[in-house]
Amino acid sequence: MNGKAENTTTFWDHLDELRSCLIRIIMITIAMGALAFCMKDTLFDIVLAPHNSNFVTYRLLDTEPFTLHLMNTGLTEQFMIHMKTALYAGLLLSSPYVLYVLFGFVAPALYENERRIAIKITMSAYVMFILGTLINYFLIFPLTVHFLGTYQVSTDVDNMLTLQSYMDTLITMCLVIGVMFELPIVSWLLARMGIINGRMMTLYRRHAIVAIVIVAAIITPTTDVFTLFVVSMPIWLLYELSILIVRMTGNNQQIHR
């Protein structure tokens, strides 16, 4: 079918369908969150692993053994962190189904070619966000924890990290890096709209590299050049990938004109 589906439903029918979608999304998220909540030991073995010097990243980088102590300072803090972490895990676990339900809601209003584009954008954005989250968990966050957790202004001052601080930093960095990994998708959309092109992105490559280093320095406030390089490299590669995608998009548009 080349056109949009026949509009035989009323506004209230669409509203009922939207409510049904939201109910299903909430239910699956709660179910996955409850599952993660019940698997407390497994959940926090994964979440707290980067604070241990036996973590895979530290072993691969041959980091010297170190000890970080996490502490709790509030009566309800551990329980609330358990709930928040389980909810975030539930969102990640249920995200494929959530995307499926949302796409099923909007798909009837799209043309066939719009559906294909929407599927590509949605799947690509989801994969890139998950990839960014994994790179943060296995690379960027461990390096941040190692530097900030072991940094001392004096040997007389010991580091006692709060669990709240650790979890807030982990979740925030997962979200930030996940969003940053959407750069190729955003670049492709801007190129499709004719706002940017490969020549423009190449011209401002030096400016982009400086911005990338600044962002990496903010994400991982470290004086270690190697750590700064390791964090900057994935972001720079994303920029180079974006240039390639934008060039290919521009070439395809010229061919179809």
Side-chain angles (χ1 to χ4, degrees):
M1 184 169 61
N2 295 326
K4 295 184 181 180
E6 293 291 334
N7 187 13
T8 58
T9 55
T10 66
F11 169 79
W12 298 109
D13 292 329
H14 286 300
L15 196 61
D16 287 339
E17 186 177 351
L18 177 60
R19 182 178 62 181
S20 176
C21 291
L22 293 177
I23 290 175
R24 281 184 285 166
I25 289 172
I26 293 172
M27 292 298 291
I28 190 65
T29 302
I30 292 175
M32 291 295 101
L35 177 63
F37 186 88
C38 294
M39 299 176 65
K40 181 180 68 173
D41 292 341
T42 301
L43 176 63
F44 282 93
D45 282 346
I46 296 173
V47 170
L48 299 180
H51 98 287
N52 192 312
S53 60
N54 291 324
F55 189 58
V56 59
T57 302
Y58 305 133
R59 295 203 306 268
L60 291 175
L61 296 177
D62 197 23
T63 304
E64 293 184 2
F66 62 93
T67 302
L68 294 179
H69 297 287
L70 297 179
M71 60 183 295
N72 176 59
T73 59
L75 179 63
T76 63
E77 191 172 282
Q78 290 204 55
F79 179 74
M80 296 305 297
I81 289 174
H82 184 188
M83 290 189 63
K84 183 169 65 174
T85 305
L87 179 60
Y88 186 76
L91 285 171
L92 284 178
L93 292 172
S94 62
S95 54
Y97 180 76
V98 171
L99 290 176
Y100 172 77
V101 171
L102 291 176
F103 185 80
F105 175 73
V106 300
L110 303 175
Y111 291 108
E112 190 64 31
N113 62 326
E114 292 174 338
R115 293 183 192 178
R116 290 195 296 269
I117 294 175
I119 290 174
K120 290 180 181 179
I121 293 175
T122 302
M123 294 303 298
S124 299
Y126 178 73
V127 170
M128 293 302 292
F129 182 85
I130 295 299
L131 181 60
T133 300
L134 291 175
I135 288 178
N136 175 67
Y137 175 78
F138 284 105
L139 180 64
I140 300 175
F141 181 69
L143 294 176
T144 303
V145 168
H146 175 261
F147 174 76
L148 296 180
T150 59
Y151 184 84
Q152 291 177 287
V153 294
S154 171
T155 55
D156 295 330
V157 182
D158 293 327
N159 285 328
M160 298 291 289
L161 307 179
T162 65
L163 179 62
Q164 182 71 54
S165 173
Y166 177 93
M167 291 303 306
D168 287 347
T169 303
L170 173 59
I171 293 176
T172 300
M173 290 185 65
C174 281
L175 292 173
V176 170
I177 301 301
V179 170
M180 289 181 63
F181 266 66
E182 303 298 330
L183 177 61
I185 312 300
V186 174
S187 298
W188 178 78
L189 286 173
L190 294 177
R192 291 267 305 184
M193 292 185 288
I195 298 176
I196 62 174
N197 54 55
R199 182 176 175 275
M200 180 189 303
M201 294 189 70
T202 303
L203 181 64
Y204 289 99
R205 178 185 274 120
R206 294 182 180 178
H207 302 78
I209 291 175
V210 173
I212 288 169
V213 173
I214 293 174
V215 170
I218 294 173
I219 295 174
T220 56
T222 172
T223 56
D224 183 2
V225 176
F226 174 75
T227 301
L228 188 62
F229 172 78
V230 169
V231 175
S232 301
M233 182 59 67
I235 306 175
W236 172 71
L237 290 176
L238 283 173
Y239 187 82
E240 295 297 328
L241 176 62
S242 299
I243 293 177
L244 180 61
I245 292 173
V246 168
R247 284 176 177 170
M248 293 175 61
T249 302
N251 293 336
N252 290 337
Q253 288 179 334
Q254 290 179 358
I255 291 174
H256 288 90
R257 283 176 183 173

